[in-house]
Amino acid sequence: MGANGKIAKIGDAIFNMLSSNSDVVGEPGMDAAKIQPEPLLNQNDPSAAVTYQIDAITPVYVKTANGALLHGPPAYEIVDFTILIHNRDYENCCNLTEVVIDAIVQPKTSSTFGTGNSFKINGVSLESVSEDYNKQRKYYTKTLTFQARVL
């Protein structure tokens, strides 16, 4: 599978984790149609939206006991991705941020999360959170960065 195919499948998995979560789509002003890849935000002016982008895919290869690299596909990949929460109301932005984090971060009791699209997401961790205000478009943005292990 080429890099573009993998990126599309990872994007689909992020969309599915968010759009199938009733808490995320149940927030004020939200529905599944407002969960989109980041470039699409510029095409409309939502009162609330969740956008995402894939930042990096790093393959992890396995070595033998003597340190030789095994040939073949990587054992797993580390995927760095960003989810941005946009909302005109600060409190709603904060609330939507919390439910998005809960929808994405894997519970410790689950062995695999996001199974499908010919791969498994085996653990997602929240790496950072930042916030900003867009004066021109008049909305708040919370930027969440995540790292996932993809089998």
Side-chain angles (χ1 to χ4, degrees):
M1 174 183 345
N4 287 337
K6 178 143 318 219
I7 291 170
K9 289 184 177 195
I10 293 169
D12 287 346
I14 293 168
F15 174 81
N16 290 334
M17 285 188 276
L18 294 171
S19 65
S20 65
N21 186 291
S22 60
D23 291 333
V24 172
V25 295
E27 281 292 308
M30 277 301 298
D31 60 52
K34 293 183 178 180
I35 301 170
Q36 306 171 345
E38 177 61 21
L40 296 181
L41 179 66
N42 295 328
Q43 296 179 5
N44 55 38
D45 192 20
S47 59
V50 176
T51 59
Y52 54 89
Q53 62 190 28
I54 310 302
D55 300 317
I57 300 174
T58 306
V60 177
Y61 295 93
V62 178
K63 292 184 178 183
T64 62
N66 65 3
L69 191 60
L70 291 177
H71 296 287
Y76 60 93
E77 293 169 313
I78 300 297
V79 177
D80 297 312
F81 63 96
T82 302
I83 296 177
L84 296 103
I85 290 85
H86 311 278
N87 203 300
R88 294 203 187 283
D89 180 84
Y90 183 74
E91 185 175 339
N92 288 343
C93 188
C94 292
N95 292 339
L96 183 54
T97 299
E98 291 297 322
V99 297
V100 165
I101 291 170
D102 289 345
I104 293 293
V105 175
Q106 177 181 356
K108 301 255 189 278
T109 57
S110 177
S111 61
T112 59
F113 187 66
T115 302
N117 292 330
S118 73
F119 65 86
K120 296 177 185 175
I121 296 176
N122 182 260
V124 178
S125 62
L126 177 64
E127 299 293 308
S128 69
V129 178
S130 63
E131 62 183 47
D132 195 12
Y133 181 72
N134 185 319
K135 292 178 184 177
Q136 180 183 3
R137 296 180 80 176
K138 296 182 173 73
Y139 60 70
Y140 298 92
T141 299
K142 294 271 191 173
T143 303
L144 313 173
T145 59
F146 296 90
Q147 190 171 77
R149 179 178 168 166
V150 177
L151 304 177

